[in-house]
Amino acid sequence: MSKAPKKKKAPEKDEALSRKEASHLTMEEAAQELERLAHEIAEHDKLYYQKDAPRVTDAEYDALRQRNDAIEMRYPELVREDSPSARVGAAPAEGFGKVVHSVPMLSLGNAFDDDDVTDFWNRIRKFLNLKEGEELAVTAEPKIDGLSASLRYEKGKLVQGATRGDGREGENVTENLRTIGDIPATLKGKNIPDVVEVRGEVYMSHEDFAKLNERQREAGKQVFANPRNAAAGSLRQLDAKVTASRPLRFFAYTWGEMPEMPADTQTGMIEAFEKWGFTVNPLFTRCKSIEELIVFYHDIEERRATLGYDIDGVVYKVDRLDWQNRLGFVSRSPRWAIAHKFPAEQAMTVLESIDIQVGRTGAMTPVARLAPVTVGGVVVSNATLHNADEIERLGVRPGDTVVVQRAGDVIPQIVRVVEDRPRGKTKYKFPDTCPECGSHAVRETNPKTGKLDAVMRCTGGLVCPAQAVERLRHFVSRNAFDIEGLGEKQIAAFYQDGLIARPDDIFTLEERDKRELKKLKDREGWGATSVKKLFEAIDERREVELDRYIFALGIRHVGETNARLLARSYGTLENFEAQMRAAADPESEARAELLSIDGVGEVLAESIVDFFAEKHNREVVEGLRKAGVKAIPLEAQQTDSPVAGKTVVFTGSLERMTRSEAKARAEQMGAKVAGSVSAKTDLIVAGPGAGSKLAKARELGIEIIDEDQWIEMAGG
Ligand code: IVH
């Protein structure tokens, strides 16, 4: 079983989310956006620097970076390891030159527990076919959390320094690396081989990091999230003078091209590096058993907080180089080395309160507000609690002392409550109303699994500020009201300025604009012509087909198909609304009728009924009516067909046409197609295999025909 995290694919862009203001993003949305931005900005960097083929303008690129910064500022605990903010200053006209590594810079496999280390040890013994009693020595050293670099010396002089890049090709940062005190410009000692490539980690100490951030803060400049980001950002400065002003350090721990080896063991190589003038890690140790490795690991883990620099595990390497050579590599990691990672970083703090954040779809996510605590070099003051079930599972109450954890790119989490500390007094009660709009919240049933969803959702829809822009965007979208010139951007801006809060506001915009002092045409990005066009486009849509209208309302689970189904079944908006209100009573005929529609199940029915049960939703429909918006019944249906106005049920299998074709044809002929037989059913079309429905129809004395008769009736 491989525990190594898989390389993630670039996340898909969520258009609506990408337009939501940074200050309005929930924690989960922020994490999603930061992931997208990291990928997107990296992609643009690649196009710009490596392919010389930018796809966006500088302004667009800057906007992406600014958004990334704004989100990071709001949620510092979400700053990613691959955050673009760790690469500040890389944007000017020229990037760094490229360096193809003469020997690729590889990565390490991971061990997460003692068993993985035992496996590593035994695998090596087996591979090398070591006899019992034959000694295996493995070195152990801290795994530094910085960024690796490769230094090339020719005739003892530093000629080139590069970042790891993708392992095959990195960036030429020679001048920047020269500014680091731990890196000698000229190698010390005699008999230095002609070509020497030393590799290691560039990092920043905790103390230096704190001072740098202090300086940056005072100067009103960017503050770094952690020492690793600060080191990366400092090394990738185009101006080496800036790098020189940053307190970077370097530990040498491996090598690249080395035609003349100064030693035949890992230990010997490290000694040689030291003699040449490099700083090597003082904790480097040679171990002769699994037990010694484990002891080393736990020792370092204990001292981790006092080392003065960030580490994220320890690295074990087979000491004998001839054995390293024999062991070789599996894909991109050496078989002779492994990283034994520390568990996710944890810290204790107090949960001060639980806030509810409402996402664009109304999902209510509880967020833990914590007394700020440093976890792995990052100050954490928010953690996700996912949902009500998670709060229940943890048994967490505001006021509790909790253990928080941060692991890689994951949103900080609460691991557990610390029982032997004073507990919070009152149990947390998940709100049943939305904190943004006061509408009531429901826990829905997942239509696919039939199970109760873990998520509580605000039913506020359009009146909920957290959902409004998304809902409005949906309302004007292509398959809904399709209002040209009113895109996501415009909607968001109008919403922000209080011009459009609900769909009916769209239709009163022109009227209101006449009365306003600050005219729409004077707004940025607008002019007399574009405003005139917009008003015309709005006017054109004062009448839309009923199915579009229903779809536009954004009722959960009512997509285009269901909207059409409902439009066909209920004919007019007034009838639809009246029936849905009547259907609020589960025992009502209206509810039975709704459920009898082929394609309408319990979950969908519930969702439509709930929608109309909310006053604010009815107000929107009423508002649209007042603003003169009309829903036109679907294309005039035949009224002279033998099934016009009748309720038809299809049962059993059809052989000459598909069920959906038969249904569509029946609807076109003005019939209502139902999924179940009731006293209201007028006609049954029964194919082979018809069962209980047919029996019931017989019982009720309903007219029954077969497929051939149906086709004849339908006009062949
Ligand atoms: S040895 C062929 N030793 O870890 C393997 N790597 O996951 C050469 N790292 O990219 C790497 N401290 O940036 C080695 N003491 C150490 C290390 C170390 C940190 C980093 C390095 C590398 C990554 C591999």
Side-chain angles (χ1 to χ4, degrees):
M1 190 182 70
S2 158
K3 289 181 185 163
K6 285 203 188 96
K7 193 167 187 290
K8 284 187 208 131
K9 251 178 64 187
E12 246 176 60
K13 180 168 179 181
D14 180 333
E15 284 291 342
L17 191 59
S18 72
R19 293 189 198 279
K20 191 167 172 180
E21 244 190 282
S23 59
H24 291 166
L25 291 172
T26 66
M27 195 172 195
E28 318 247 332
E29 289 170 344
Q32 191 184 330
E33 269 295 87
L34 287 179
E35 182 184 1
R36 172 189 69 91
L37 287 163
H39 283 91
E40 205 169 314
I41 293 170
E43 182 61 28
H44 290 315
D45 284 345
K46 201 161 136 194
L47 289 168
Y48 188 97
Y49 294 120
Q50 298 180 14
K51 308 237 162 82
D52 276 331
R55 215 173 31 207
V56 289
T57 62
D58 286 359
E60 284 166 325
Y61 178 86
D62 290 345
L64 289 175
R65 274 186 171 269
Q66 273 159 15
R67 180 167 175 80
N68 189 77
D69 289 350
I71 301 174
E72 288 186 349
M73 191 85 85
R74 186 163 152 77
Y75 291 109
E77 52 272 288
L78 296 184
V79 173
R80 301 165 57 86
E81 290 208 341
D82 60 354
S83 165
S85 62
R87 290 184 272 125
V88 278
E94 264 173 89
F96 297 103
K98 288 156 226 162
V99 172
V100 176
H101 300 299
S102 49
V103 176
M105 292 181 80
L106 299 151
S107 50
L108 294 168
N110 290 323
F112 294 96
D113 53 31
D114 295 358
D115 284 350
D116 291 346
V117 180
T118 307
D119 288 349
F120 166 70
W121 185 276
N122 291 337
R123 232 176 13 244
I124 290 168
R125 288 202 71 97
K126 192 160 171 221
F127 189 98
L128 296 172
N129 199 15
L130 298 186
K131 303 278 163 322
E132 242 191 82
E134 202 167 350
E135 187 183 272
L136 169 64
V138 171
T139 64
E141 65 199 286
K143 183 169 189 296
I144 319 298
D145 197 9
L147 63 152
S148 47
S150 186
L151 309 163
R152 186 179 176 88
Y153 291 83
E154 285 174 8
K155 302 219 172 350
K157 300 264 182 252
L158 177 64
V159 291
Q160 188 173 69
T163 61
R164 178 175 185 275
D166 61 7
R168 192 189 65 82
E169 186 179 276
E171 285 172 321
N172 187 340
V173 286
T174 315
E175 296 318 310
N176 299 8
L177 287 165
R178 272 189 210 287
T179 69
I180 300 178
D182 290 327
I183 296 176
T186 310
L187 299 182
K188 284 201 291 197
K190 293 203 183 83
N191 303 328
I192 309 270
D194 272 358
V195 173
V196 162
E197 261 182 33
V198 174
R199 292 174 177 177
E201 203 82 353
V202 177
Y203 68 100
M204 198 178 283
S205 76
H206 289 160
E207 204 185 331
D208 290 339
F209 166 70
K211 280 193 203 142
L212 170 66
N213 260 358
E214 191 55 45
R215 247 171 42 211
Q216 294 283 105
R217 203 173 289 119
E218 272 168 19
K221 292 196 188 143
Q222 189 202 6
V223 171
F224 297 99
N226 53 44
R228 187 182 176 281
N229 272 11
S234 301
L235 186 63
R236 296 187 77 260
Q237 291 289 335
L238 285 177
D239 181 355
K241 279 202 229 76
V242 178
T243 309
S245 74
R246 303 282 174 81
L248 294 176
R249 296 169 191 246
F250 182 82
F251 279 130
Y253 54 64
T254 193
W255 57 94
E257 197 176 333
M258 191 76 69
E260 295 164 61
M261 295 294 282
D264 54 12
T265 59
Q266 187 74 32
T267 314
M269 291 300 287
I270 297 299
E271 282 163 5
F273 292 167
E274 202 176 6
K275 277 196 203 118
W276 289 342
F278 288 98
T279 306
V280 297
N281 194 286
L283 299 165
F284 181 95
T285 305
R286 188 170 179 273
C287 301
K288 286 184 266 179
S289 67
I290 300 175
E291 291 69 34
E292 276 180 54
L293 293 180
I294 307 282
V295 166
F296 178 85
Y297 172 86
H298 289 296
D299 178 40
I300 299 293
E301 192 181 18
E302 259 172 44
R303 295 162 61 181
R304 184 178 186 186
T306 57
L307 292 180
Y309 48 86
D310 275 352
I311 62 171
D312 56 351
V314 299
V315 184
Y316 307 134
K317 299 169 188 168
V318 169
D319 197 30
R320 271 176 63 167
L321 301 188
D322 56 338
W323 284 358
Q324 285 192 4
N325 284 336
R326 269 175 62 195
L327 282 154
F329 297 85
V330 234
S331 71
R332 297 177 55 77
S333 328
R335 217 180 255 116
W336 46 265
I338 199 161
H340 191 177
K341 300 292 273 270
F342 290 137
E345 299 210 55
Q346 298 188 336
M348 247 196 261
T349 187
V350 173
L351 172 85
E352 294 182 329
S353 60
I354 297 176
D355 278 0
I356 300 291
Q357 294 190 327
V358 188
R360 289 171 310 124
T361 58
M364 290 169 40
T365 308
V367 175
R369 302 295 184 199
L370 307 164
V373 62
T374 308
V375 190
V378 176
V379 178
V380 171
S381 44
N382 305 297
T384 180
L385 281 163
H386 301 294
N387 51 47
D389 288 350
E390 176 74 355
I391 296 177
E392 191 72 23
R393 187 184 72 76
L394 290 163
V396 67
R397 303 172 188 171
D400 280 351
T401 297
V402 292
V403 174
V404 275
Q405 162 173 310
R406 237 186 110 242
D409 291 340
V410 187
I411 302 179
Q413 287 170 324
I414 294 194
V415 186
R416 63 185 167 84
V417 171
V418 185
E419 303 278 356
D420 49 13
R421 291 283 178 102
R423 298 287 315 266
K425 296 250 174 339
T426 30
K427 196 171 165 212
Y428 178 75
K429 190 177 166 306
F430 205 94
D432 49 15
T433 53
C434 169
E436 298 275 345
C437 70
S439 303
H440 82 268
V442 292
R443 217 168 150 164
E444 294 172 338
T445 308
N446 182 323
K448 290 207 181 87
T449 60
K451 288 200 186 117
L452 213 56
D453 254 347
V455 177
M456 277 284 258
R457 228 172 259 281
C458 161
T459 58
L462 285 161
V463 298
C464 181
Q467 300 172 66
V469 174
E470 170 64 12
R471 292 295 186 98
L472 286 165
R473 187 200 60 74
H474 172 80
F475 187 88
V476 298
S477 66
R478 178 95 71 88
N479 297 326
F481 267 70
D482 189 20
I483 300 179
E484 223 170 288
L486 204 50
E488 290 175 28
K489 241 199 229 150
Q490 293 81 359
I491 285 277
F494 287 164
Y495 182 81
Q496 197 145 25
D497 297 348
L499 286 174
I500 296 180
R502 297 194 329 193
D504 38 324
D505 295 338
I506 297 170
F507 295 94
T508 57
L509 193 61
E510 188 173 1
E511 263 316 297
R512 285 181 288 134
D513 194 50
K514 283 185 192 144
R515 285 181 261 128
E516 284 295 325
L517 285 177
K518 186 172 186 257
K519 302 279 183 212
L520 221 55
K521 65 176 172 52
D522 300 327
R523 287 173 65 95
E524 209 188 301
W526 292 91
T529 319
S530 56
V531 167
K532 184 166 168 273
K533 268 198 178 152
L534 174 66
F535 290 156
E536 277 169 9
I538 292 173
D539 254 347
E540 259 176 44
R541 312 303 286 161
R542 276 184 209 275
E543 285 193 6
V544 294
E545 295 82 3
L546 179 58
D547 56 338
R548 278 178 180 270
Y549 188 115
I550 295 176
F551 175 63
L553 291 175
I555 306 169
R556 256 183 92 69
H557 308 305
V558 179
E560 284 172 76
T561 311
N562 285 337
R564 204 165 308 126
L565 194 63
L566 293 164
R568 285 236 161 84
S569 303
Y570 291 96
T572 66
L573 177 63
E574 289 66 31
N575 183 41
F576 175 52
E577 192 183 352
Q579 292 299 314
M580 293 309 102
R581 292 214 56 195
D585 174 1
E587 302 300 321
S588 63
E589 231 179 82
R591 174 72 74 113
E593 196 177 331
L594 173 60
L595 284 167
S596 77
I597 299 172
D598 202 5
V600 177
E602 289 285 352
V603 174
L604 177 59
E606 190 88 19
S607 154
I608 309 167
V609 166
D610 280 352
F611 181 89
F612 284 100
E614 296 281 344
K615 187 158 158 269
H616 56 80
N617 287 332
R618 295 198 304 272
E619 281 169 1
V620 166
V621 176
E622 184 52 31
L624 284 167
R625 197 173 289 131
K626 278 199 188 130
V629 178
K630 291 202 184 82
I632 19 180
L634 291 200
E635 55 191 275
Q637 287 157 348
Q638 265 176 275
T639 46
D640 55 351
S641 86
V643 291
K646 296 201 167 151
T647 300
V648 181
V649 171
F650 290 92
T651 177
S653 56
L654 300 179
E655 281 157 0
R656 295 174 56 189
M657 59 170 72
T658 63
R659 178 73 75 90
S660 43
E661 192 183 346
K663 221 171 112 180
R665 182 78 188 102
E667 283 168 348
Q668 200 190 1
M669 287 160 65
K672 214 186 272 179
V673 179
S676 59
V677 177
S678 73
K680 287 201 163 185
T681 313
D682 297 298
L683 180 69
I684 295 275
V685 182
S692 62
K693 285 185 197 170
L694 183 58
K696 189 162 179 196
R698 283 210 181 101
E699 216 174 274
L700 295 170
I702 297 166
E703 184 186 352
I704 300 165
I705 58 171
D706 64 15
E707 189 180 3
D708 289 341
Q709 288 169 297
W710 159 249
I711 286 175
E712 201 178 312
M713 197 182 264

